[in-house]
Amino acid sequence: MKKNLKSKVASALVVCMTLGLLAGCGAKESTDDGGSKTADGDLVIGLDCPMTGVNASFGEQLSYGAQMAIDEINDAGGVDGKKLALSIQDDKSDPKEAATIATKFVADEKVVASIGYYNSSCGLSALPIINEGKLVTIVTGSSPDISEQNQKYGFRTEPSDKQQAVYAADWMVEDGRKKVAILYESTDYGMGQEEIISEILTDSGAEIVCSEAYILGETKDFTNILTKVKNSGADSIFLAGTYTEGALIVKQRQSLGMDIPCYSSSSMFEVAFLDAAGDAAEGTKVQGVLVPDDPSETIQKFESAYKEKFGDDKVAGTFSGHGYAAVKMIAEAIENVGTDPDKMAEYIESTTFDAIYGTVNFNETHDLIFESLKRLVVEDGKFTVVE
């Protein structure tokens, strides 16, 4: 049990001390800034996500989805009569912050599991601590390296970069793209996607005519990069990054008079991308797991409840679904085997879940398996499913 692992937790605390952030470790804290807070409850699920910074929209989705699940479970009587609570911690998309938060979760005996870690870099930073501390965790980063780091206690709900890259590459090949430019953020996520899709497209007979990196949160002017793309003769662009920079790229592409089509993965499937890019987003092709316009009764019921709870201007996307599903899976595990981390991990590993995305299960590397991803294109300011 976690409470018998003080020696292992102590080693994890060393990480926190090294970072000079010991004051923030081992104590649960509540703040009013909306970034980090913990509600009262018997069983606490830690949520690490970016609540501020360029990826804050994804953190909001994760936290809203997770809170919906928490409230539904508690309203139904809790888990074996015990109430669940959510401890939301803001990692600011910073792997050092994620390591500190993971250490804090492991050291806190009330925390029975953790979820989140939107950025792959944050998940990769946290997973060694989580596995050492035996804390069942469900992450949403998409780097293939996460499969290796998952080990016994780590699981992943977001389709891996490889799975997303395969779908994107297939779509580009079907559209007849032969000369592709790749623009990627210089993170584990961006570099991983660049490597994978380059390999897949090259094997498919396409040519990578331009590949340019940019710095997440810092690069604002893409004129030089886009000029290189234009001069390369590219017939399409693949964006391996998140929506803030993606919106800047498509807007600056438009201002330069370029009409090269853009493709991306689920990271650009975000209302904030549409809001920031405006009409420059038209025609962008992305992928998603949970699509608001999906006519299924389950998805429409989820969307209605989400808007009722958080406001009509809020749209439940893929990461809302991830937060919701992760809490439900953990609660089901606790209800069936208690809070012993070994038994919880074994339950999650061996169970087929009836989740918000449908019937799913984790494979041998603890990656959730989806039969297919939704193809979406931006039309009239909305994401539209492509049949």
Side-chain angles (χ1 to χ4, degrees):
M1 299 288 287
K2 189 152 62 81
K3 61 185 178 183
N4 295 324
L5 297 172
K6 295 301 182 185
S7 61
K8 293 181 177 180
V9 170
S11 65
L13 283 170
V14 170
V15 175
C16 190
M17 295 174 67
T18 303
L19 296 171
L21 296 169
L22 183 60
C25 295
K28 196 175 298 300
E29 57 196 42
S30 296
T31 67
D32 296 326
D33 61 4
S36 301
K37 56 185 179 182
T38 304
D40 292 333
D42 302 308
L43 303 170
V44 176
I45 296 175
L47 170 58
D48 171 294
C49 57
M51 296 300 292
T52 56
V54 297
N55 294 315
S57 176
F58 292 111
E60 180 182 273
Q61 282 196 37
L62 278 165
S63 63
Y64 282 5
Q67 192 60 56
M68 271 189 63
I70 293 273
D71 292 346
E72 287 180 10
I73 293 165
N74 285 342
D75 288 347
V79 180
D80 291 335
K82 295 181 179 178
K83 297 293 186 182
L84 295 181
L86 198 61
S87 175
I88 304 171
Q89 304 294 322
D90 179 10
D91 66 21
K92 306 177 181 67
S93 296
D94 182 344
K96 291 180 181 178
E97 291 281 351
T100 301
I101 292 168
T103 302
K104 182 176 178 177
F105 286 156
V106 167
D108 191 331
E109 293 186 359
K110 289 194 71 175
V111 176
V112 295
S114 70
I115 63 175
Y117 306 97
Y118 164 74
N119 295 90
S120 292
S121 300
C122 291
L124 290 168
S125 175
L127 279 167
I129 299 168
I130 286 163
N131 280 299
E132 179 74 8
K134 296 187 175 182
L135 182 67
V136 170
T137 294
I138 300 177
V139 305
T140 57
S142 57
S143 168
D145 293 340
I146 288 176
S147 300
E148 297 178 8
Q149 291 289 335
N150 271 340
Q151 300 176 26
K152 184 171 184 178
Y153 303 97
F155 297 83
R156 184 237 299 272
T157 51
E158 175 72 355
S160 72
D161 288 342
K162 185 172 183 178
Q163 187 176 5
Q164 294 192 44
V166 167
Y167 274 89
D170 286 346
W171 197 356
M172 297 178 81
V173 170
E174 286 176 23
D175 285 351
R177 309 304 175 194
K178 297 291 186 183
K179 296 183 176 181
V180 179
I182 302 174
L183 307 187
Y184 63 98
E185 61 183 41
S186 55
T187 61
D188 288 332
Y189 167 70
M191 292 186 290
Q193 279 225 324
E194 191 274 341
E195 180 179 353
I196 294 167
I197 200 159
S198 293
E199 181 179 344
I200 295 172
L201 285 171
T202 301
D203 289 346
S204 300
E207 181 183 0
I208 308 303
V209 295
C210 180
S211 182
E212 293 287 329
Y214 58 84
I215 301 174
L216 176 66
E218 294 187 20
T219 305
K220 306 296 182 187
D221 185 350
F222 291 89
T223 303
N224 288 337
I225 290 176
L226 286 167
T227 299
K228 290 181 181 178
V229 172
K230 189 174 184 178
N231 294 336
S232 71
D235 60 17
S236 55
I237 299 173
F238 182 81
L239 302 175
T242 52
Y243 66 87
T244 301
E245 283 73 20
L248 289 172
I249 289 170
V250 297
K251 288 179 71 174
Q252 293 175 30
R253 175 202 58 170
Q254 184 183 57
S255 66
L256 291 171
M258 300 168 65
D259 59 0
I260 301 174
C262 287
Y263 296 75
S264 189
S265 59
S266 64
S267 62
M268 222 62 69
F269 175 36
E270 174 60 41
V271 172
F273 169 70
L274 302 179
D275 293 342
D279 61 5
E282 290 293 306
T284 304
K285 297 181 176 181
V286 303
Q287 307 160 57
V289 172
L290 192 152
V291 180
D293 292 335
D294 189 321
S296 78
E297 183 179 351
T298 300
I299 298 299
Q300 289 309 305
K301 184 178 178 181
F302 181 71
E303 288 290 336
S304 295
Y306 194 88
K307 287 181 178 295
E308 182 177 352
K309 190 174 188 65
F310 301 114
D312 288 338
D313 62 328
K314 301 300 181 184
V315 178
T318 295
F319 288 87
S320 308
H322 286 332
Y324 184 84
V327 168
K328 292 278 188 171
M329 290 172 181
I330 288 168
E332 182 179 326
I334 294 172
E335 190 166 22
N336 281 278
V337 299
T339 58
D340 181 285
D342 291 307
K343 292 181 179 178
M344 287 176 65
E346 290 168 4
Y347 182 87
I348 293 172
E349 184 179 54
S350 61
T351 299
T352 297
F353 292 95
D354 185 13
I356 187 67
Y357 342 91
T359 302
V360 291
N361 63 277
F362 292 93
N363 67 6
E364 66 279 4
T365 57
H366 292 186
D367 294 320
L368 201 63
I369 301 303
F370 296 92
E371 289 186 3
S372 64
L373 303 179
K374 303 286 187 183
R375 288 181 176 183
L376 304 113
V377 61
V378 180
E379 292 180 345
D380 299 326
K382 295 172 56 179
F383 290 109
T384 302
V385 177
V386 177
E387 300 296 338

